[in-house]
Amino acid sequence: SCACCGNQDGEIWTAGNRRPECGAYLPVSESSLFEVASISKLFTASLAAILHCRGVLDIDEKFTRYLPGHVLAREYTSITLRDIASHSAGFSDGWFYSDWHGAKMYRDPKRFREGVLSARPVVKRRSCCRYACHNMILIGYAIENVCGMDLDAAAREFLWRPLGMSSTCW
C-alpha cells in the first residue's frame, strides 16, 4: 500500500491507501494511524544525546546503572549505553521475532518489558555490529527511568516542545 499525510502551509493533506493487518485497502484520512517503526530509533537516540549533554544520562556508563531490573544487573557486565546505541552490545532481536512477534507479547506491555529485560546478549560485546530493535528499546527504558516519565512525555519535554512540534506524539 502507499499512503502519505503531510502538513503544508498549515493545511493537512492525505493521499493514498493503507492496509491494516493485511486486510482490505482503506483510504487514508487525517485520523489514520501508522506504525512508523524505525523512526522511533531516531527519536530515542536524540533524547539520549540530549540527556547525555545535560549530564542526566552517561552513555559511557554501564547500562545496568539505568536499568537495575535487567537480568545482567545481578551479574558483572561491561556493556555501556554507547555499546547498545552503536548496536555492538551483542543483543539480538531473535527472541523477539521468533517467539513473540505479533503474539500476545506486543499487547501486554508488562510481559513485553519482562522479555526485554530478561534477554541476554548472543555474542560478545564489541565483537560485531548486530542491528537490533532491542537496543533502542533498552535505551528507551533507561530514558524513562532517569526522567521519571514515559518515553512520549520525555520526547515532548526535551525534544518536540523545544522544536515547536506541539502535535507530535510517540
Side-chain angles (χ1 to χ4, degrees):
S1 64
C2 178
C4 57
C5 284
N7 185 324
Q8 187 172 13
D9 300 324
E11 291 186 35
I12 295 176
W13 53 269
T14 62
N17 294 295
R18 60 190 172 95
R19 190 171 181 197
E21 298 183 22
C22 298
Y25 286 96
L26 302 171
V28 175
S29 72
E30 292 177 12
S31 61
S32 295
L33 297 177
F34 293 92
E35 181 178 343
V36 293
S38 291
I39 192 67
S40 63
K41 291 179 182 74
L42 174 65
F43 300 150
T44 303
S46 297
L47 274 171
I50 289 166
L51 295 172
H52 176 75
C53 288
R54 291 181 177 201
V56 175
L57 194 71
D58 182 353
I59 63 171
D60 292 310
E61 181 67 45
K62 293 176 187 176
F63 85 100
T64 52
R65 171 182 173 193
Y66 303 106
L67 293 171
H70 194 280
V71 66
L72 295 180
R74 294 182 288 274
E75 305 167 16
Y76 173 78
T77 183
S78 55
I79 298 171
T80 65
L81 286 175
R82 183 184 300 270
D83 295 328
I84 293 172
S86 65
H87 298 279
S88 62
F91 290 105
S92 168
D93 282 339
W95 65 272
F96 183 75
Y97 290 113
S98 63
D99 297 334
W100 298 329
H101 186 65
K104 292 185 239 177
M105 190 56 80
Y106 265 134
R107 292 169 180 69
D108 184 345
K110 183 179 180 210
R111 285 188 61 209
F112 182 83
R113 186 179 182 100
E114 289 170 359
V116 170
L117 296 179
S118 66
R120 295 175 172 278
V122 296
V123 295
K124 185 180 175 196
R125 171 186 180 238
R126 298 185 181 172
S127 65
C128 65
C129 179
R130 293 184 69 96
Y131 179 83
C133 298
H134 183 92
N135 294 313
M136 287 302 160
I137 295 168
L138 285 171
I139 292 175
Y141 288 161
I143 290 169
E144 289 178 340
N145 286 348
V146 299
C147 290
M149 58 182 83
D150 67 32
L151 209 50
D152 179 54
R156 278 183 280 139
E157 175 75 22
F158 301 107
L159 182 60
W160 296 323
R161 189 178 307 142
L163 292 172
M165 300 168 67
S166 60
S167 299
T168 305
C169 64
W170 209 276

